Amino acid sequence: MATDKRLFYTSVILITISIIFSYSLTTYVSTIHGVDQFFFLKKQFVSGMLGIFIMWFLSIMNPDRAFKVVGFTIFFIFFFLMGIMHFLPHSLVTEVGGAKRWIKFSGFSIAPVEFFKVGFVFFLSWSLSRKITGYAQSLKDELIVFLPYLGAFGVVVYLIAIMQNDLGQVIVLGMSLAIMAFMAGTSGRFFAISTLGAITVFIIAIVTSEHRILRIKLWWGNIQDFILSFLPDAIANRLRVNEVIEPYQISNSFYAIKNGGFFGQGIGEGTVKLGFLTEVHTDFVLAGITEEIGLFGIILVIGLYFYMIFRIFKIANRLEDRMESLFVMGVGLIFSLSFFINAFGITGITPVKGIAVAFLSYGGSSILAHSVAIGMVLMLSKKVKM
């Protein structure tokens, strides 16, 4: 069977859009970093071209021979790198807020967590397809089977949420784990209990971190007037948070979306990128794009993104091998969750989590890792009739 060319070309178009806006949205960032105006464009272009080559190269490989080799290689290499990067000297790592997230090589750097997400989904698909039978079991038996996964996820929480101070990536992986386990055959009651447990861990992670508490307060301060207007005054007064710093990032995100209108200000003509949204090319890329190409343009971009996700899930649904189907579904979850978490954050529905939008946000590691994921899906797509 032939590779799913529609998925390939849709991914290429999204990467191309990312390259265009890596130039358009980085005017201010280039200035404050003291680099030329084409600096971010050149880096994103190289990453994008390499990502497209990786997708093509993986797509032509024999899935029966190469799929597991590639999957296990990614999982073990980047699990190892995530484990040792915190002990590497400062000359080899880049820190953000005291957390080591990038390993520096000659002329470039990588974020191991981006690749580890792909490896983790592969490991889950391999293990869940072997351990979970799909036959009716007692809740106790399901818990016993699932305990090793909870232990493994605990290590992931430590390496990412604690050592890298990146709760957003843990949320993506935790939700992927719960949904993949449910699709592998766990019961609805187990899914409900595991979801409740994940929420509990999430709350603990927030209340034990001052900066996360502040982020929640900023988010609540932005939406509280609307929500509290529906409640009695006695309850509303207890829930109201006073003297909260103005959440200017969200306000400026709203302004960018509103200022885009229907057809946008034009590519390169947006104003929110001029220091008002410091992460407009990464965390707030959807807001920056909307200001420049408008509602009509962003609907087209989102339509392409959802079409890519649709092709991924369609392949997952038609694969006969249980492990391969789970993996492709996991890849679809990574893309879907990154989009929704980002979109909900920039519109104030949820707190901003710092999750990039796969294939749209600036970042070489993100593009390359997600290109590997799509390449592996394309490799498997040859086994189904589309």
Side-chain angles (χ1 to χ4, degrees):
M1 297 294 180
T3 302
D4 187 345
K5 293 182 180 179
R6 295 181 183 181
L7 174 59
F8 175 77
Y9 289 125
T10 303
S11 301
V12 170
I13 292 172
L14 289 170
I15 291 175
T16 303
I17 292 172
S18 173
I19 293 172
I20 293 171
F21 284 101
S22 70
Y23 172 71
S24 173
L25 298 178
T26 56
T27 303
Y28 178 77
V29 180
S30 299
T31 302
I32 63 174
H33 284 285
V35 296
D36 71 81
Q37 60 180 332
F38 300 107
F39 175 81
F40 292 96
L41 171 64
K42 288 184 287 188
K43 293 190 69 174
Q44 194 76 342
F45 178 80
V46 172
S47 298
M49 294 301 102
L50 183 56
I52 292 171
F53 172 78
I54 288 173
M55 285 192 295
W56 170 80
F57 183 75
L58 289 174
S59 73
I60 64 174
M61 299 178 77
N62 185 331
D64 294 324
R65 296 180 180 179
F67 174 65
K68 289 185 180 180
V69 174
V70 174
F72 279 121
T73 300
I74 293 171
F75 176 74
F76 286 115
I77 287 178
F78 289 98
F79 181 76
F80 174 74
L81 289 178
M82 285 178 56
I84 68 166
M85 67 185 299
H86 309 291
F87 306 100
L88 296 176
H90 292 288
S91 59
L92 295 178
V93 294
T94 302
E95 292 190 16
V96 175
K100 298 178 179 180
R101 295 185 180 179
W102 287 272
I103 298 178
K104 293 186 289 187
F105 295 93
S106 179
F108 68 98
S109 61
I110 63 169
V113 68
E114 294 289 354
F115 295 88
F116 176 73
K117 286 190 297 185
V118 181
F120 186 69
V121 165
F122 170 83
F123 171 78
L124 288 179
S125 65
W126 171 77
S127 186
L128 289 172
S129 63
R130 295 166 65 246
K131 298 293 185 181
I132 299 179
T133 62
Y135 297 106
Q137 291 180 303
S138 68
L139 182 60
K140 179 182 177 180
D141 290 336
E142 287 186 312
L143 288 171
I144 292 174
V145 170
F146 207 71
L147 276 177
Y149 299 99
L150 295 179
F153 188 67
V155 175
V156 171
V157 171
Y158 175 77
L159 290 175
I160 302 177
I162 297 177
M163 299 301 290
Q164 295 191 23
N165 197 22
D166 192 349
L167 184 60
Q169 300 286 10
V170 171
I171 292 174
V172 171
L173 292 177
M175 294 178 69
S176 298
L177 170 59
I179 296 173
M180 288 178 69
F182 179 70
M183 296 304 294
T186 57
S187 64
R189 60 185 175 179
F190 179 81
F191 178 75
I193 291 174
S194 60
T195 301
L196 181 62
I199 293 173
T200 302
V201 172
F202 175 70
I203 294 173
I204 293 173
I206 291 175
V207 300
T208 55
S209 172
E210 290 186 5
H211 88 276
R212 289 176 185 142
I213 292 175
L214 178 59
R215 182 174 291 180
I216 292 294
K217 286 183 176 179
L218 291 174
W219 166 71
W220 178 247
N222 190 55
I223 66 169
Q224 63 179 349
D225 289 339
F226 173 74
I227 294 178
L228 296 181
S229 65
F230 295 96
L231 301 177
D233 291 340
I235 298 177
N237 291 334
R238 286 180 175 272
L239 296 177
R240 186 174 300 279
V241 176
N242 299 313
E243 299 180 359
V244 177
I245 301 172
E246 175 68 20
Y248 68 93
Q249 290 282 73
I250 297 299
S251 298
N252 289 331
S253 177
F254 285 155
Y255 171 79
I257 295 171
K258 180 180 178 181
N259 195 42
F262 194 75
F263 293 107
Q265 298 296 312
I267 295 179
E269 300 300 322
T271 57
V272 75
K273 64 188 178 186
L274 303 176
F276 298 103
L277 273 176
T278 55
E279 303 296 331
V280 67
H281 60 306
T282 54
D283 298 349
F284 288 86
V285 67
L286 293 176
I289 292 176
T290 302
E291 184 184 27
E292 300 203 345
I293 64 176
L295 177 63
F296 179 75
I298 196 64
I299 287 175
L300 290 179
V301 172
I302 293 174
L304 282 171
Y305 200 90
F306 282 179
Y307 182 70
M308 175 185 66
I309 293 172
F310 166 75
R311 300 299 302 181
I312 294 172
F313 283 126
K314 186 175 182 179
I315 293 170
N317 185 53
R318 296 192 178 186
L319 281 166
E320 295 182 359
D321 185 273
R322 193 157 169 255
M323 173 192 169
E324 294 170 349
S325 178
L326 277 175
F327 170 78
V328 176
M329 184 189 68
V331 171
L333 287 172
I334 289 177
F335 278 87
S336 304
L337 292 171
S338 73
F339 176 84
F340 284 113
I341 291 174
N342 185 283
F344 287 173
I346 69 169
T347 54
I349 297 175
T350 61
V352 177
K353 296 310 305 169
I355 293 291
V357 182
F359 281 168
L360 290 179
S361 294
Y362 172 83
S365 292
S366 177
I367 278 189
L368 294 178
H370 290 101
S371 294
V372 170
I374 292 295
M376 294 176 72
V377 172
L378 290 170
M379 185 196 305
L380 295 174
S381 72
K382 293 186 291 187
K383 302 180 73 172
V384 300
K385 184 176 181 180
M386 300 301 293

